[in-house]
Amino acid sequence: MTIKRVTGILLIIITSGWTNESLPSAKLLEYCNVFRQIQVDVRDCVISPDSATRAFQENMKNLRAVFARDSCRSIDSTYFVFPVRCYLPAESIGGRGRGYRPDGFDLFDMEVKGSHPAHDIFIRDKDKDQIDDRTWKPVDILAFTSGVVLAVEKDWQYDSDRRGGNWIWIYDPCLDGLFYYAHNNVVEVQPGQWVNAGDKIAEMGRSGYNAYKKRSPTHLHLMFLKLTPEGLPEPQNTYDWMMMAAVKE
Ligand SMILES: [Zn+2]
């Protein structure tokens, strides 16, 4: 047995028992990995919708158990921070909220197409260089609510046909639901990391098969999936929450 291997085993033993709040536990990281793997398997069509559903439910049940929800605060306007810095909801949410079309959505079936259970939030970027035309700076994506980062994609390539680009999944244990932030340029968070509402998690971009095309205006695609008591994800409209959210300068 090499020294490296012994050190590795020791490290695993130490980190499994770690309860320091600032570091994610080994258990939490494992659930994050499972969450990502299910998405990947669905995308690559190597798992049936039924198996994916069951694996997802089991994993969400485990995740729920990690968080004590008795410390949750009430859900009012102070709970939310608008996810695009320095933009007003009324000026930036696509179609004044009419872009939300949940019918037919199925997280576990790649064959189902045509729904858009999300809102697109647009910035001023006429030349589509991912730089704000007013400030000449990148636009920060902020956590809409507090939660734990479950999975991220950071390595989308411009010739990839994957549609979400560089995305982030965050689980909010108090809302008991999942937020999906897509088309980012730079992702600045890691799986297992806790973020508070208003924390910077990314910079807006044009990543993703369709979002990268010249005809597409630069935007954030924000989806929220509320979990049923059985741990199944169902789209929920976040329009009212966004309209009452605080705008961060
Ligand atoms: Zn969208």
Side-chain angles (χ1 to χ4, degrees):
M1 203 182 271
T2 63
I3 302 252
K4 214 173 170 184
R5 184 134 175 242
V6 174
T7 318
I9 290 166
L10 270 177
L11 201 69
I12 289 165
I13 293 165
I14 292 165
T15 49
S16 325
W18 203 291
T19 50
N20 187 326
E21 254 187 70
S22 62
L23 281 176
S25 70
K27 249 188 189 168
L28 176 57
L29 286 177
E30 184 196 320
Y31 303 151
C32 291
N33 284 335
V34 172
F35 182 88
R36 187 193 175 93
Q37 196 55 49
I38 296 169
Q39 313 294 321
V40 169
D41 289 348
V42 168
R43 184 193 72 202
D44 296 343
C45 297
V46 298
I47 190 171
S48 72
D50 275 358
S51 305
T53 304
R54 279 195 301 274
F56 183 92
Q57 278 177 289
E58 176 71 26
N59 196 47
M60 289 317 303
K61 216 191 301 170
N62 291 335
L63 259 169
R64 270 175 175 158
V66 173
F67 299 97
R69 273 190 275 173
D70 48 7
S71 57
C72 287
R73 41 184 295 225
S74 58
I75 311 297
D76 55 26
S77 65
T78 62
Y79 192 83
F80 304 97
V81 175
F82 193 61
V84 180
R85 192 195 291 272
C86 286
Y87 274 81
L88 299 172
E91 68 174 349
S92 55
I93 302 174
R96 294 199 182 136
R98 288 191 300 270
Y100 179 78
R101 299 185 310 274
D103 290 354
F105 174 76
D106 187 344
L107 185 63
F108 308 116
D109 194 344
M110 288 297 283
E111 301 296 312
V112 183
K113 291 199 172 83
S115 69
H116 185 261
H119 289 285
D120 292 332
I121 304 168
F122 299 92
I123 59 163
R124 290 184 185 81
D125 180 18
K126 270 208 171 108
D127 54 356
K128 298 173 180 171
D129 60 355
Q130 314 176 82
I131 298 292
D132 192 317
D133 294 346
R134 295 182 300 187
T135 63
W136 298 101
K137 285 181 184 154
V139 176
D140 291 344
I141 302 299
L142 311 173
F144 183 41
T145 73
S146 302
V148 65
V149 178
L150 293 187
V152 300
E153 175 59 62
K154 296 185 172 189
D155 299 320
W156 184 85
Q157 301 293 321
Y158 69 91
D159 56 352
S160 160
D161 60 359
R162 293 183 186 156
R163 297 193 299 166
N166 290 325
W167 43 253
I168 303 167
W169 281 99
I170 294 179
Y171 172 61
D172 178 335
C174 294
L175 291 174
D176 195 27
L178 301 158
F179 286 98
Y180 173 73
Y181 302 76
H183 309 319
N184 301 292
N185 183 17
V186 190
V187 168
E188 300 190 357
V189 287
Q190 301 289 345
Q193 183 183 338
W194 181 266
V195 294
N196 290 314
D199 286 353
K200 180 179 178 183
I201 56 173
E203 285 177 2
M204 190 184 283
R206 304 178 52 78
S207 62
Y209 182 69
N210 288 318
Y212 184 72
K213 290 178 181 166
K214 255 300 179 219
R215 63 172 160 83
S216 174
T218 306
H219 68 280
L220 165 70
H221 171 98
L222 180 68
M223 171 170 75
F224 177 61
L225 302 175
K226 168 82 182 159
L227 296 175
T228 66
E230 298 76 36
L232 292 172
E234 282 184 354
Q236 185 173 315
N237 196 339
T238 56
Y239 187 71
D240 291 342
W241 288 345
M242 284 200 285
M243 289 304 285
M244 69 182 183
V247 172
K248 199 167 172 180
E249 298 286 318

